[in-house]
Amino acid sequence: KAGVTQTPRYLIKTRGQQVTLSCSPISGHRSVSWYQQTPGQGLQFLFEYFSETQRNKGNFPGRFSGRQFSNSRSEMNVSTLELGDSALYLCASSPRGGNQPQHFGDGTRLSIL
Amino acid sequence: AQSVAQPEDQVNVAEGNPLTVKCTYSVSGNPYLFWYVQYPNRGLQFLLKYITGDNLVKGSYGFEAEFNKSQTSFHLKKPSALVSDSALYFCAVIPRSTGFQKLVFGTGTRLLVSP
């Protein structure tokens, strides 16, 4: 069974631009979560989607948004990029959420110039 | 506020020796507890979880963890370390109250196993 696939793996943007990251969960998984990983703040939860609905949201500004499609694939969007948005963005999936272990992709490394 | 503490930034151990990576948590109620491992330029890999039941949980690659409710700890252990165990280890919790997949992570502990 294929794992969680995130595209692209690397991305370079400049301040003020916007970016869209993509995540394909493991087949059959309906819960998709996003996390931001930085050296300073560590791993922080962004949001979780289940059956195309956002179920939970972390403490990030409204510039960070996401969505989930009917095939469970998910995208996250960051608008008006700031230098501090440089990070590794990780997507994770699980069959139904709750206390089930999450399976992580290898992430998208976003660098803001 | 919910939090997870990993008091050691780095743990050094010789190959073949037992290892322990410490984790304590501050969460109301009884949370779900997890350990994940991250290798360079990779995402996180699930090692083990504690939901309920036996306080000693066995996981992948020979790792185990001991849940101690009175000390609010969930230390990761392995009887005999391998050089290939060298990686970044994260303890995480999901408060039962949320019911969702909002993992709260510790800051991570780098494990270095020397030959």
Side-chain angles (χ1 to χ4, degrees):
Chain A
K1 191 183 260 190
V4 177
T5 303
Q6 292 188 245
T7 56
R9 285 296 310 276
Y10 302 92
L11 206 49
I12 299 175
K13 292 287 187 179
T14 57
R15 282 181 297 173
Q17 288 186 310
Q18 74 167 19
V19 67
T20 299
L21 311 181
S22 179
C23 172
S24 293
I26 292 172
S27 178
H29 286 195
R30 296 167 62 191
S31 170
V32 174
S33 299
W34 289 88
Y35 295 85
Q36 181 196 63
Q37 185 177 23
T38 61
Q41 299 298 316
L43 281 155
Q44 293 185 288
F45 172 81
L46 281 157
F47 26 65
E48 185 216 0
Y49 286 87
F50 182 83
S51 293
E52 302 179 66
T53 300
Q54 186 181 88
R55 287 206 298 193
N56 208 349
K57 191 177 188 303
N59 297 322
F60 280 81
R63 301 184 298 106
F64 292 81
S65 63
R67 60 177 174 170
Q68 187 181 32
F69 302 94
S70 58
N71 61 358
S72 293
R73 191 177 70 85
S74 178
E75 290 181 346
M76 68 164 281
N77 184 276
V78 187
S79 62
T80 319
L81 287 165
E82 301 177 358
L83 291 177
D85 297 334
S86 293
L88 180 66
Y89 290 89
L90 294 166
C91 169
S93 74
S94 73
R96 297 181 305 279
N99 62 21
Q100 296 179 317
Q102 296 178 40
H103 300 265
F104 285 78
D106 287 337
T108 294
R109 184 164 297 281
L110 175 63
S111 299
I112 310 302
L113 303 179
Chain B
Q2 303 151 1
S3 64
V4 177
Q6 293 181 243
E8 302 155 317
D9 289 337
Q10 182 162 313
V11 170
N12 298 306
V13 64
E15 188 173 34
N17 284 358
L19 68 89
T20 299
V21 182
K22 296 179 181 177
C23 171
T24 59
Y25 61 90
S26 176
V27 176
S28 58
N30 298 315
Y32 305 124
L33 299 162
F34 302 83
W35 275 100
Y36 286 84
V37 61
Q38 186 177 33
Y39 294 95
N41 298 316
R42 301 298 301 275
L44 279 67
Q45 294 180 31
F46 168 73
L47 282 178
L48 49 81
K49 68 176 181 180
Y50 175 82
I51 304 300
T52 188
D54 193 353
N55 289 343
L56 185 63
V57 179
K58 293 191 182 297
S60 305
Y61 313 117
F63 284 94
E64 58 189 27
E66 187 168 12
F67 170 65
N68 188 315
K69 184 176 181 179
S70 63
Q71 297 185 2
T72 61
S73 67
F74 190 54
H75 300 332
L76 181 70
K77 301 181 179 184
K78 188 174 183 181
S80 179
L82 299 172
V83 172
S84 57
D85 292 331
S86 299
L88 189 57
Y89 290 80
F90 290 96
C91 180
V93 304
I94 293 178
R96 288 177 189 253
S97 59
T98 67
F100 305 129
Q101 296 250 277
K102 182 178 179 180
L103 281 166
V104 177
F105 285 95
T107 51
T109 298
R110 189 165 301 281
L111 174 66
L112 184 59
V113 182
S114 55

